[in-house]
Amino acid sequence: MLAGPAPCQELRKATFLPQWSPQAQFAGYYVAHAKGFYARRGIDLEILRGGPDRPAAQALAQEEVEFVTLFLSTGIDLRSNGLEILNIGQIVQRSALALVAKRSSGIRAVKDLDGKAVSIWPDFALQPRAFFRKYNLHVRVAPQGGSISLFLRGGVDAASVMLYNEYHTILNSGLDPAELRVFDFSHYGINFPEDGIYCLEQTLKESPELCRDFVLASIEGWAYALEHTEEALDIVMKHVRAANLPTNRVHQKWMLEHMRDIIMPPGKNIPMGTLLPDEYRFVAKQLMENGIITSMPEYGDFHADLAHAR
């Protein structure tokens, strides 16, 4: 059981920026806010609207927010390059990032990507770069925005997708899975855990209770969202509609079910929020070996285990 909220005379203000636009990828945080889990732990939280035009890492570095979500590989890269950030709770335990190509383009195997035009998100480029280096691929990189339309129109040969999001959008566009070739990075030795909770080291030093309570309330939110999916979707859709995003409940339900699979992967029974030392070192080593970082931060300097704090 999670510890109950400590008595608090007044709410502590904090801001949180997810690393992408409102969607079920962040259902746990939206639920924790709507159900009062943050408030019960003494936090007056403002959830800002993320997306490609508002990079979470930049906002954290500029001290515009207290908390963000980032991929583990992004966090390691930033720490390696001198930004004193800390992972204070690892929510997603496996990768859902992939490249997708149409079989009609002649892409059947990894080697067929060589020389092709591939779109990648600038803020989520580390895994694709590691993949290209590992398989000695020389591709023509195109920046990818918030939609998959460039790929659907044939503007690139392959595109980046989250298997819980853009891949479903491609299927909904009328393409059949048999027409596609999916390169799921988790099947190619680049299985990097993704969304974690980050803050600046300075924030943890100055406000350790705030950081602990944010992580614990977020975990409560995720546990509730995965147990009460329809209620969670009601809450997610309020954020989606407020942002005027072109999506629907069916798509968001697909996403939430796939979030369950990567937050609690079958056969990997570890408490939510845990960053295992071996998982961390695997990702850091892959980034080192592929020339993406030049120094490996120590696990203890990078991660503060607040998910099990009391």
Side-chain angles (χ1 to χ4, degrees):
M1 295 290 292
L2 293 172
C8 185
Q9 292 185 344
E10 63 181 53
L11 296 179
R12 299 154 293 174
K13 290 186 178 294
T15 51
F16 165 58
L17 179 64
Q19 83 261 34
W20 202 248
S21 306
Q23 56 188 15
Q25 179 184 358
F26 310 112
Y29 310 103
Y30 300 144
V31 166
H33 186 267
K35 301 293 292 185
F37 298 163
Y38 294 117
R40 286 217 307 265
R41 290 186 177 273
I43 303 174
D44 178 8
L45 184 71
E46 180 183 8
I47 300 180
L48 302 179
R49 189 178 299 164
D53 298 326
R54 195 172 198 176
Q58 180 179 313
L60 186 63
Q62 295 176 353
E63 301 183 33
E64 296 172 0
V65 297
E66 282 76 29
F67 305 107
V68 300
T69 55
L70 298 169
F71 281 10
L72 177 57
S73 55
T74 302
I76 295 172
D77 182 47
L78 291 170
R79 182 83 194 198
S80 175
N81 282 287
L83 182 60
E84 293 186 340
I85 65 169
L86 287 172
N87 176 301
I88 54 175
Q90 184 61 39
I91 301 301
V92 171
Q93 296 296 327
R94 62 174 291 271
S95 176
L97 185 57
L99 295 179
V100 171
K102 298 173 186 173
R103 290 183 179 273
S104 60
S105 68
I107 297 174
R108 301 285 199 281
V110 171
K111 63 181 178 61
D112 299 327
L113 289 166
D114 197 51
K116 300 294 187 180
V118 180
S119 63
I120 61 176
W121 291 296
D123 291 336
F124 306 100
L126 295 180
Q127 252 176 297
R129 284 170 58 193
F131 177 76
F132 300 148
R133 285 175 179 265
K134 180 173 183 176
Y135 292 97
N136 195 30
L137 299 173
H138 299 87
V139 303
R140 291 175 284 126
V141 172
Q144 185 167 314
S147 81
I148 205 72
S149 58
L150 185 64
F151 171 74
L152 293 175
R153 296 197 308 264
V156 290
D157 300 298
S160 302
V161 298
M162 301 307 297
L163 294 173
Y164 54 72
N165 190 1
E166 290 79 14
Y167 179 64
H168 189 240
T169 299
I170 291 172
L171 298 182
N172 283 340
S173 75
L175 289 170
D176 189 88
E179 299 177 78
L180 302 170
R181 180 65 169 91
V182 178
F183 300 95
D184 181 344
F185 293 144
S186 68
H187 297 163
Y188 289 89
I190 310 177
N191 185 18
F192 295 178
E194 292 173 349
D195 296 11
I197 302 170
Y198 289 82
C199 69
L200 293 176
E201 191 172 303
Q202 175 184 334
T203 303
L204 181 61
K205 288 179 180 178
E206 294 177 352
S207 306
E209 295 86 2
L210 173 65
C211 296
R212 176 202 63 199
D213 290 338
F214 179 82
V215 170
L216 293 178
S218 299
I219 290 172
E220 285 184 277
W222 270 114
Y224 191 96
L226 297 177
E227 182 69 23
H228 305 85
T229 55
E230 293 303 323
E231 184 180 354
L233 286 167
D234 290 341
I235 294 169
V236 168
M237 291 308 297
K238 290 180 182 178
H239 287 266
V240 166
R241 286 192 290 269
N244 295 312
L245 296 175
T247 185
N248 55 56
R249 190 183 181 96
V250 171
H251 180 66
Q252 295 302 316
K253 186 170 185 176
W254 161 285
M255 187 182 301
L256 186 55
E257 287 303 319
H258 281 71
M259 290 302 297
R260 181 194 306 277
D261 292 340
I262 60 176
I263 289 173
M264 300 185 299
K268 190 174 182 179
N269 187 24
I270 63 173
M272 196 182 300
T274 301
L275 176 60
L276 296 174
D278 287 349
E279 296 276 5
Y280 167 77
R281 295 187 185 105
F282 168 76
V283 175
K285 184 179 178 183
Q286 287 288 318
L287 296 180
M288 283 278 290
E289 290 179 350
N290 286 285
I292 292 169
I293 61 174
T294 57
S295 63
M296 185 186 302
E298 291 294 330
Y299 172 79
D301 294 333
F302 178 79
H303 175 65
D305 184 10
L306 302 188
H308 309 102
R310 294 292 182 267

